């Protein structure tokens, strides 16, 4: 056998010839093959206003990548509109879409051997989905948020999509007429951008900025403003620099970065979904983080921002008041933020915030000073007890008394519960239970925005409790407890509750308790039978087989990790 006269480099060059031929067809020239190939993960769709403007941002980023000596390759990923699918079977696909998005970005980038990726997302699951993929791949990456929607207006008040859900409850309770119901629906969502309050999208964009994986101020910009397009272009330029310096997500997504994100979520009054998503991202990044860490950080971080759904302001107001950098600087100045954590720019958090004042402007009241918070402790409490041995998440902003003991009103689905609320069957003092809506049992862990909004609209927000193994929209508020784990479908105690049982929700003592004797609970557990799966084929069936407990972030690759 004779030796091959070609060198290894020459052999590899010949082997790459077919690949280059394919790349020439999509615009590569002779000089482009030495440039870094950077993916543009474009979440554009017309399915939801959240993603409506993403193509323009992606094109702007693509142009800047080329200007800075990289070769972009754009590809699409999916979205599910929570607001449109809310209250339907379609909502079961929402959390599932987080995994599909993560898998699609990982598949495209690794399948095409990309050197980096800029992910452009807008809807609730685009953000954690992209971050899960970024953490798994550990190639230079940056996230670009599509921006927030501007508020709608009616009768001198700001509107968000949650206003429409609450209007349904108000209408059913006879508090508003047909005309007002229709006018709120017409005006709630005036254009492109993600839901305007501190709901899940704006919460997660803020958390990603706090972790250092997106640019300063970018998480609260309006989708329709020019500064958002400029921020997308700047993000692309920063990413090219990060590729050349091999600044990897693993160097940024550290334990300190996640603690910073949790602190910011508490300070801004963010969504309960942040608990689920940050746990899943941390798992992907191989960073030890547990549900109990949220409780630890909650105890030392006050709520500083007066944001909807329970407060007065929307994300564009927060942006004008100084945005997430102002919030972070207050936290840094008071010792609850890690200033030495790294960001995608190569600067530390402290360096990024150097020119931001330690105190918010006295000419606004969106962001409170440290000495005058809205709440002295964070608003996302982790409750445990015989109803939630692995934990549950309570959002206690806007609640006059975060404690209730009352009779259980048990429903096996969101639809059955909503019908009872709208029919006037839920009374003050009741504790509503919605079960078999967890990650496996739903499957897909639907959000209960329709029932919680109907309770608020009916004027029962301070007198009715609600617990579920499903999730809540970031637009939900009141005495509501979600992510109850273990869930009903795997034998959790929430599946053993009977109509009329006494239940205690006590955020002050962080207790979620079914008030029956222990032997009675065990008797019910022994008699419980696992329900047959609702889906035996397709994506929901696959998801139900793979998904972990909500207390672990409802991740789908724990065994592979």
């Amino acid at each position: 056998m004779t030796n091959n006269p070609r060198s290894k480099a020459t052999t590899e060059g010949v082997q790459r010839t077919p690949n280059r031929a394919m790349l020439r067809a999509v615009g590569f020239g002779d000089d482009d093959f030495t440039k870094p190939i950077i993916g543009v993960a474009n979440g554009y769709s017309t399915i939801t206003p959240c993603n409506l403007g993403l193509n323009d941002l992606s094109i702007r980023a693509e142009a800047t990548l080329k200007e800075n000596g990289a070769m972009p390759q754009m590809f699409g990923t999916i979205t599910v509109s929570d607001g449109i699918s809310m209250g339907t079977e379609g909502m079961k696909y929402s959390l599932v879409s987080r995994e599909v998005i993560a898998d699609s970005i990982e598949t495209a980038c690794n399948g095409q051997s990309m050197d980096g990726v800029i992910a452009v997302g807008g809807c609730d699951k685009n953000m954690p989905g992209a971050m899960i993929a970024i953490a798994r791949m550990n190639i230079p990456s940056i996230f670009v948020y599509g921006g927030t929607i501007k508020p709608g207006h009616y009768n001198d008040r700001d509107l968000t999509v949650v206003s429409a859900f609450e209007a349904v409850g108000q209408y059913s309770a006879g508090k508003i007429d047909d005309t007002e119901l229709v006018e709120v629906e017409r005006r709630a969502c005036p254009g492109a951008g993600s839901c305007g309050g501190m709901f899940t999208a704006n919460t997660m964009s803020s958390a990603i900025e706090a972790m250092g994986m997106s640019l300063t101020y970018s998480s609260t910009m309006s989708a329709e403003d020019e500064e958002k397009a400029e921020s997308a272009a700047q993000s692309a330029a920063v990413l090219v620099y990060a590729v050349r310096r091999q600044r990897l997500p693993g160097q940024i997504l550290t334990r300190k970065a996640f603690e910073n994100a949790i602190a910011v979520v508490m300070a801004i009054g963010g969504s309960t979904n942040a608990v689920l998503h940050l746990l899943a991202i941390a798992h992907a990044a191989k960073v030890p983080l547990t549900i109990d860490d949220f409780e630890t950080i909650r105890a030392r971080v006050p709520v500083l921002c007066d944001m909807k759904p329970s407060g007065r302001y929307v994300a564009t107001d927060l942006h004008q008041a100084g945005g997430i950098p102002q919030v972070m600087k207050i936290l840094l100045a008071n010792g609850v933020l890690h200033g030495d954590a790294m960001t995608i720019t190569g600067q530390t958090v402290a360096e990024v915030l150097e020119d931001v004042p330690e105190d918010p402007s006295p000419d606004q009241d969106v962001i409170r000073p440290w000495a005058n918070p809205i709440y002295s402790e964070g608003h996302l409490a982790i409750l445990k007890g015989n109803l939630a041995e692995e934990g549950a998440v309570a959002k206690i902003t806007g609640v006059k008394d975060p404690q209730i003991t009352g009779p259980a009103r048990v429903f096996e689905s969101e639809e059955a519960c909503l019908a009872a609320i709208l029919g006037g069957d839920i009374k003050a003092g009741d504790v509503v239970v919605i079960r078999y809506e967890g990650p496996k049992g739903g499957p897909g862990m639907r959000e209960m925005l329709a029932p919680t909004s109907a309770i608020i609209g009916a004027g029962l927000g301070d007198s009715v409790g609600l617990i579920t193994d499903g999730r809540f929209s970031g637009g939900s508020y009141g005495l509501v407890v979600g992510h109850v784990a273990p869930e009903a479908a795997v034998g959790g105690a929430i599946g053993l509750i009977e109509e009329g049982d006494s239940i205690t929700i006590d955020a002050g003592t962080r207790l979620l308790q079914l008030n029956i004797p222990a032997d009675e609970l065990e008797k019910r557990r022994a008699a419980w039978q696992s329900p047959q799966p609702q889906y035996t084929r397709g994506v929901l069936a696959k998801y139900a087989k793979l998904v972990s407990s909500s207390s672990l972030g409802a991740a789908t690759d724990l065994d592979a990790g």
Side-chain angles (χ1 to χ4, degrees), residues 224-290:
E224 298 181 328
D225 287 349
E226 175 60 23
E227 67 173 348
K228 172 48 64 179
E230 293 173 358
S231 179
Q234 185 182 1
S235 298
V238 167
L239 178 59
V240 175
Y241 184 70
V243 169
R244 289 176 174 149
R245 297 298 297 266
Q246 277 301 287
R247 187 169 298 118
L248 304 177
Q251 299 166 331
I252 301 168
L253 294 175
T254 62
R255 169 76 185 202
K256 289 181 178 180
F258 282 95
E259 291 186 356
N260 284 351
I262 295 170
V264 167
V265 167
M266 294 296 177
I268 62 179
S271 166
T272 52
N273 282 312
V275 178
L276 198 72
H277 297 325
L278 288 173
L279 286 171
I281 298 166
H283 165 70
K286 300 180 181 178
V287 170
L289 190 73
T290 72

Side-chain angles (χ1 to χ4, degrees), residues 298-375:
R298 181 186 82 87
R300 60 177 184 252
V301 179
V303 178
L304 299 176
C305 299
D306 189 10
M307 304 295 293
K308 288 181 180 292
S310 61
R312 293 177 291 167
Y313 296 106
V314 294
T316 51
D317 298 318
L318 176 60
H319 190 63
Q320 293 301 317
I324 296 305
Q326 179 63 82
V327 176
M328 291 178 70
K329 187 59 174 279
I330 297 170
L331 300 181
L332 179 65
N334 288 277
V336 294
L337 205 72
H338 298 290
D340 58 343
M342 185 62 63
T343 73
I344 186 61
T345 65
Q347 298 171 289
T348 65
V349 166
E351 289 169 341
V352 167
L353 301 176
E354 184 176 0
D355 296 330
V356 179
E358 292 187 0
D359 296 307
S361 169
D363 298 329
Q364 56 79 48
D365 57 357
V366 182
I367 306 172
R368 297 276 192 91
W370 179 269
N372 183 32
I374 296 172
Y375 300 96

Side-chain angles (χ1 to χ4, degrees), residues 401-406 428-431 462-465 479 503-506:
D401 183 4
Q403 187 277 335
I404 186 173
T405 296
D430 287 343
V431 178
D462 291 318
S463 59
V464 168
L479 192 53
I503 293 176
T504 294
I505 303 171
D506 191 338

